Amino acid sequence: MFLLPWLAGFFLLTLGPTLASLVLSFTNFDLIQAPRWVGTANYERIATADAKFWRSMWVTFLYVIMSVPLKLAFALGVAMMLNRGIQGLPLYRALFYLPSLLGASVAIAVLWRKLFAGDGLLNQFLAMFGFEGPSWVSNPDYALYTLVVLSIWQFGSPMIIFLAGLRQIPQDMYEAASLDGASPLRQFVKITLPLLTPVIFFNAIVQTIDAFKAFTPAFIISEGTGGPVDSTLFYTLYLYQEAFGYLRMGYASALAWVLVVIVAVFTAFSFLTSRYWVHYDD
Amino acid sequence: MARVDLETVFKRYAEVEVIHGVDLTIDPGEFVVFVGPSGCGKSTLLRMIAGLEDISGGTLRIDGEPMNDVPPAKRGIAMVFQSYALYPHMSVYKNLAFGLETARMPKAEIEKRVRAAARILQIDPLLELKPKALSGGQRQRVAIGRAIVREPRLFLFDEPLSNLDAELRVQMRVEIAKLHKDLGVTMIYVTHDQVEAMTMADKIVVLRSGVVEQVGRPLDLYNRPANQFVAGFIGSPKMNFLNASLRSASGQGASIALNGRGLDLPGQRAAAPGPVVLGVRPEHLTVTPSPGAVALGDAKVVIVEHLGGETIVYATLQDGQPVTVSLQGQRDVGGDSAIAVYADPATCHLFDATGASLRA
């Protein structure tokens, strides 16, 4: 009874459209005429005749590979600093978390664009030291990196989780290690990292799935084009173009399902390997 | 084997002083137990010796060398933690080897030491297992093994048995005592359990609120407690404390009034008349007249505990003061019955208003 609103929402707004998109992925559908059944033609085209699919896949893959490890490393670094028992911890925690709240918003992406533009703040700063920076967002060689940096800047939520994970490690492990003469580095490598692997694993999965789905920043920074020269053509951006730019709903649905499968395969693979590197105690 | 000297050692956290100038000497090869109620500072004192806590004032010497500023790893000590502090992601072997690997000892030597320690503690079959696969007692052995392999000059134990069940505790108690005998190394052991202290220690240090109340051999503490706190802490069931008044104390003996009766105690120092506390251990009380014993008065039985080997009677004296009597063997004492309580004055203790013993 009390679940009804949630159930209604789930079936009407989540499960319904999801299943509909699965059906649509086997059709041609332009929102105007009725969907026309085409069998697996959409999937065949994705696999064989769509250079942009591979391009967007590659861009997304690069983004995931770069942003996730860097973001996690940064989040862990800040969490370890905060874990050293400084005063005003709640304040710092909130401040560091702030970018994550703002980061996904359109406003910040616009701000980011200004920051890294040809006459943006970064270049003005560099100019003070006599460097003349390129327009980071409009140079195909750098545009993706600005998005990676934007993603790292949103390290708040993995940081909070790391902080909670660090708190779980009993202090006497470190005391025992220091009696054994282990340096802080050795303590980090031999104790902190292994005991944190469940949290690292969780963060890695969540952040990777998030990164695969990243859309807003690329959309804003490239003004919806995925440019310059498709250098920021994220998979979801390409999907969006197909769906709402060219009104190829059937094809876009097929793209969406390919992404679902890719993420599912990645996640399954992560879980399979996890038992070789994730330590759960008790 | 190390000698440890604490010279007026203090510990302060910001404004709060928790250790108030402790002086203590621990001789080479001694098994010393720090005992006291929770919050008495015994663990803090141990952690200061380990180097896990800074020393706010005074000097710690190990084998004569000042250790205040020496990092924990360089003090030549090993410590067994209450929680065992085993690394959950490492096998037992790796746990034992961790300190030696950190010290970059040759692999062959590490293997030799780990195998030797495993043999002593009978954990050889467990070496490839992770700690989560071990029972509490086995984890305890691994934690001790981790200390042994380092071949320290000083072992520190921080309440190592408190996570074990009663039976294992007795067993490990014996094993740690045996280990001390075999290795001959100086050991400092922290516990709140006076039975552990009495059974294991060469020397007991009784602490309360950051102050050393008494230092001595177990039976000295039992027979000649320096004050009422030590008297009540050592021994089980707890010593009876009865309010009395001192009529006179000349230096040869004391004469007190208890419940309207006069009682003469030998071997007490001179003191001014006034209120005193008479201390008698339950096992020194009887319910039948015996040579040398004098009557303390009649009492009403409240509860009787039959333990088989002994019978413990909880009763109240005529003036309402509770008294516990521990009788050898199985005695037929009924509830609600009246008994007469007798004590040998030679086994009685007197404490003045400050709690200090009047024993000469």
Side-chain angles (χ1 to χ4, degrees):
Chain A
M1 179 66 194
F2 293 104
L3 272 178
L4 265 184
W6 183 85
L7 285 176
F10 177 72
F11 280 108
L12 290 176
L13 300 175
T14 304
L15 192 60
T18 304
L19 291 177
S21 79
L22 181 59
V23 175
L24 285 177
S25 71
F26 295 100
T27 67
N28 272 348
F29 180 41
D30 58 7
L31 286 179
I32 299 159
Q33 292 162 335
R36 191 163 46 83
W37 189 263
V38 294
T40 57
N42 284 333
Y43 291 100
E44 283 163 26
R45 197 181 127 213
I46 288 173
T48 56
D50 187 352
K52 270 203 157 187
F53 163 77
W54 293 107
R55 173 69 205 171
S56 66
M57 205 66 241
W58 173 244
V59 169
T60 307
F61 180 71
L62 278 183
Y63 176 73
V64 170
I65 283 289
M66 285 190 292
S67 72
V68 174
L70 287 173
K71 186 183 197 169
L72 292 187
F74 198 68
L76 179 56
V78 175
M80 292 196 54
M81 263 162 39
L82 290 183
N83 195 39
R84 297 176 69 169
I86 52 168
Q87 290 195 336
L89 174 64
L91 175 70
Y92 287 110
R93 208 165 43 193
L95 281 180
F96 284 127
Y97 192 71
L98 203 58
S100 305
L101 296 176
L102 301 174
S105 75
V106 174
I108 290 297
V110 171
L111 190 71
W112 213 253
R113 193 180 154 76
K114 296 274 181 242
L115 199 60
F116 287 101
D119 55 356
L121 268 178
L122 178 62
N123 281 347
Q124 289 178 19
F125 178 71
L126 287 178
M128 294 190 339
F129 301 96
F131 294 105
E132 196 179 327
S135 169
W136 304 94
V137 286
S138 52
N139 184 321
D141 291 337
Y142 303 124
L144 185 61
Y145 299 110
T146 65
L147 292 177
V148 170
V149 173
L150 175 58
S151 147
I152 296 169
W153 183 60
Q154 300 161 39
F155 61 92
S157 81
M159 176 202 76
I160 296 281
I161 297 170
F162 275 136
L163 199 51
L166 288 170
R167 292 281 171 85
Q168 293 286 315
I169 302 177
Q171 195 55 37
D172 49 20
M173 299 264 169
Y174 295 109
E175 291 180 346
S178 73
L179 281 171
D180 276 342
S183 64
L185 178 67
R186 188 169 159 83
Q187 291 182 24
F188 175 74
V189 173
K190 291 287 180 178
I191 297 169
T192 309
L193 273 188
L195 293 184
L196 217 50
T197 46
V199 178
I200 295 174
F201 179 58
F202 173 81
N203 269 336
I205 296 267
V206 170
Q207 293 303 323
T208 304
I209 292 174
D210 261 12
F212 268 119
K213 295 193 308 189
F215 172 74
T216 318
F219 181 79
I220 302 295
I221 285 193
S222 70
E223 293 172 326
T225 63
V229 207
D230 289 346
S231 63
T232 61
L233 185 67
F234 281 8
Y235 192 88
T236 50
L237 194 53
Y238 175 50
L239 193 159
Y240 172 85
Q241 288 176 356
E242 284 294 318
F244 300 101
Y246 305 111
L247 294 183
R248 290 197 280 254
M249 287 294 164
Y251 192 64
S253 296
L255 284 173
W257 277 93
V258 169
L259 181 62
V260 168
V261 170
I262 288 170
V263 171
V265 166
F266 158 80
T267 309
F269 180 73
S270 304
F271 270 95
L272 283 179
T273 60
S274 70
R275 69 168 129 149
Y276 299 107
W277 65 275
V278 178
H279 304 285
Y280 295 102
D281 45 312
D282 298 321
Chain B
M1 284 214 280
R3 174 193 164 93
V4 181
D5 293 286
L6 300 174
E7 296 165 2
T8 358
V9 164
F10 283 89
K11 176 69 190 176
R12 292 179 204 96
Y13 294 104
E15 301 292 292
V16 189
E17 189 173 286
V18 293
I19 302 281
H20 313 287
V22 166
D23 285 290
L24 187 66
T25 296
I26 295 166
D27 292 324
E30 243 182 345
F31 195 116
V32 174
V33 175
F34 293 174
V35 70
S38 22
C40 71
K42 55 191 188 298
S43 281
T44 307
L45 202 55
L46 189 80
R47 292 166 58 82
M48 287 160 80
I49 296 172
L52 297 173
E53 300 278 354
D54 294 334
I55 295 169
S56 313
T59 309
L60 163 71
R61 293 177 195 278
I62 299 180
D63 288 335
E65 288 170 62
M67 285 286 144
N68 292 39
D69 300 318
V70 177
K74 299 247 154 58
R75 295 187 183 193
I77 52 172
M79 182 158 165
V80 178
F81 291 81
Q82 180 175 5
S83 64
Y84 316 143
L86 300 180
Y87 309 122
H89 54 292
M90 297 184 197
S91 67
V92 168
Y93 185 95
K94 281 281 175 192
N95 263 287
L96 294 177
F98 183 78
L100 307 181
E101 284 172 357
T102 305
R104 294 172 201 272
M105 191 174 277
K107 271 212 154 54
E109 175 68 13
I110 294 178
E111 165 117 23
K112 205 179 100 199
R113 286 200 189 186
V114 170
R115 300 270 171 213
R119 212 171 311 117
I120 294 174
L121 295 163
Q122 297 160 3
I123 51 173
D124 331 44
L126 311 176
L127 284 177
E128 298 313 316
L129 299 180
K130 295 264 176 71
K132 68 178 164 191
L134 307 182
S135 69
Q138 289 169 333
R139 287 180 202 196
Q140 178 62 70
R141 284 164 201 270
V142 177
I144 295 174
R146 200 166 57 176
I148 292 178
V149 293
R150 300 191 55 217
E151 299 183 357
R153 54 180 170 171
L154 177 61
F155 272 85
L156 306 178
F157 294 89
D158 189 4
E159 307 221 17
L161 305 185
S162 49
N163 289 343
L164 300 178
D165 62 47
E167 194 184 340
L168 260 177
R169 210 150 48 209
V170 175
Q171 190 188 333
M172 287 308 294
R173 209 162 75 194
V174 174
E175 288 196 28
I176 292 176
K178 183 168 177 296
L179 191 69
H180 175 246
K181 210 174 118 204
D182 293 347
L183 299 178
V185 183
T186 313
M187 293 187 176
I188 306 178
Y189 186 104
V190 163
T191 181
H192 61 268
D193 181 349
Q194 58 94 17
V195 178
E196 271 175 33
M198 291 295 284
T199 52
M200 300 170 85
D202 294 322
K203 185 154 93 188
I204 296 179
V205 179
V206 182
L207 287 147
R208 178 173 60 157
S209 310
V211 174
V212 173
E213 293 284 341
Q214 192 172 1
V215 180
R217 290 180 299 167
L219 289 182
D220 288 343
L221 263 54
Y222 179 87
N223 292 328
R224 302 177 65 85
N227 55 46
Q228 196 177 340
F229 175 77
V230 175
F233 197 82
I234 302 289
S236 173
K238 212 172 127 132
M239 183 185 280
N240 291 298
F241 294 121
L242 302 172
N243 293 318
S245 64
L246 184 64
R247 285 176 177 160
S248 67
S250 62
Q252 299 302 311
S255 169
I256 63 164
L258 173 74
N259 242 335
R261 291 164 188 265
L263 198 61
D264 290 323
L265 279 70
Q268 307 292 326
R269 62 182 163 82
V276 287
V277 172
L278 174 72
V280 203
R281 297 197 181 276
E283 56 271 33
H284 293 152
L285 290 174
T286 56
V287 292
T288 48
S290 59
V294 296
L296 294 186
D298 293 330
K300 193 164 168 254
V301 175
V302 180
I303 294 260
V304 182
E305 290 178 348
H306 298 282
L307 300 182
E310 58 185 329
T311 305
I312 298 174
V313 181
Y314 298 90
T316 47
L317 289 172
Q318 282 153 325
D319 61 353
Q321 298 199 64
V323 63
T324 308
V325 183
S326 172
L327 302 169
Q328 279 302 308
Q330 302 175 7
R331 301 292 193 90
D332 187 20
V333 183
D336 280 339
S337 61
I339 51 172
V341 179
Y342 301 87
D344 178 353
T347 62
C348 291
H349 304 262
L350 274 188
F351 305 101
D352 66 15
T354 66
S357 173
L358 289 182
R359 192 172 281 266

